[in-house]
Amino acid sequence: IGGGPLSEAAREQAASHPHIEFLGRLDRERIRHWMQQAHVLVAPCQEAGGAREAAGLVLLEAQACGTPVLAYRSGGIPEMVDDGVSGRLAPEADYPALQAGLAELLRLPGAEYGAMRVAARRFAENSRSLAGSCAELDRHYAETAGG
């Protein structure tokens, strides 16, 4: 889902894998539908040109849909995943570890996978909601101001 400057290169690399489907850009409702249906969302963001992902909001969006996530431990991403509970993190740019993490998530027994889906939703709601983040920021400002 989506597009960008690497879309054509991704299509070329995926050409020999007929099970991969490119849906292009979709509206929010259709993206939410696909996130809810996904078994796992993989977001292997890593350093590029000296920059790293600051937050990885797509990881929170997927978890809010009850979808476990897999990502590299890079930039601000570790703050967006409860590693081992709502998803898995692999060392940055470690493709074999990413591959192993995906295999692990795909092989989880039904009850464990179901618990991870629930934990993913709970993590997004309880630990990274906008209301919770605003309240935490208010507490930090109050502490800084001596109040």
Side-chain angles (χ1 to χ4, degrees), residues 78-89:
E79 296 180 34
M80 301 299 158
V81 181
D82 189 357
D83 190 18
V85 178
S86 67
R88 298 282 189 269
L89 293 172

Side-chain angles (χ1 to χ4, degrees), residues 39-130:
H39 191 81
V40 62
L41 180 124
V42 182
C45 300
Q46 60 185 349
E47 185 273 329
R52 285 192 164 78
E53 184 70 51
L57 292 179
V58 69
L59 298 167
L60 285 182
E61 292 169 338
Q63 290 171 97
C65 290
T67 300
V69 297
L70 173 64
Y72 282 141
R73 189 175 282 109
S74 176
I77 288 174
E79 296 180 34
M80 301 299 158
V81 181
D82 189 357
D83 190 18
V85 178
S86 67
R88 298 282 189 269
L89 293 172
E92 184 174 5
D94 186 341
Y95 179 74
L98 187 74
Q99 186 178 24
L102 181 57
E104 178 186 340
L105 289 171
L106 293 175
R107 290 186 183 122
L108 280 176
E112 287 181 44
Y113 175 72
M116 186 172 272
R117 287 189 71 93
V118 169
R121 172 74 183 180
R122 188 174 298 132
F123 175 76
E125 287 180 328
N126 297 338
S127 299
R128 296 295 178 258
S129 71
L130 181 58

Side-chain angles (χ1 to χ4, degrees), residues 136-147:
E136 184 177 348
L137 187 59
D138 280 345
R139 284 191 300 277
H140 288 301
Y141 282 147
E143 289 171 8
T144 302

